[in-house]
Amino acid sequence: MQQAIITRQSPAPIGMPVTRRPKVHVPQPAIKLPPRGTTGPVHISKLLNPVLEICRHPDRDRLLAEFFSEY
């Protein structure tokens, strides 16, 4: 019994169209952070101290509103 070898070319692969993703614009932060120190980055406690002081104050709602109105 002989078997015939069937050879055929495979069909050309069908490519999926490439969809372009929209460019996402990341705005620069509006808050002003202290500059880096001469020895390296500024410690996080220096950044959070003003907010922590406001949070402990009895009139914190008004003070927080004033603090964040600048940004």
Side-chain angles (χ1 to χ4, degrees), residues 5 11-13 16 18 21-25 27 33 45 47-48 56 60 62 64-65 67-68 71:
I5 299 174
M16 294 291 292
V18 178
R21 294 184 182 175
K23 290 186 178 181
V24 178
H25 176 70
L33 299 175
S45 65
L47 301 175
L48 292 180
R56 292 185 194 114
R60 63 181 156 262
R62 182 185 58 81
L64 278 173
F67 181 77
F68 287 109
Y71 304 110

Side-chain angles (χ1 to χ4, degrees), residues 2-45:
Q2 293 182 354
Q3 293 181 342
I5 299 174
I6 301 172
T7 59
R8 66 176 189 180
Q9 289 182 339
S10 61
I14 300 174
M16 294 291 292
V18 178
T19 58
R20 290 185 177 227
R21 294 184 182 175
K23 290 186 178 181
V24 178
H25 176 70
V26 179
Q28 293 294 323
I31 60 173
K32 303 290 185 209
L33 299 175
R36 289 176 60 104
T38 56
T39 59
V42 176
H43 195 269
I44 191 71
S45 65

Side-chain angles (χ1 to χ4, degrees), residues 40-60:
V42 176
H43 195 269
I44 191 71
S45 65
K46 281 192 175 182
L47 301 175
L48 292 180
N49 278 341
V51 176
L52 291 175
E53 289 177 16
I54 290 173
C55 289
R56 292 185 194 114
H57 196 277
D59 193 20
R60 63 181 156 262

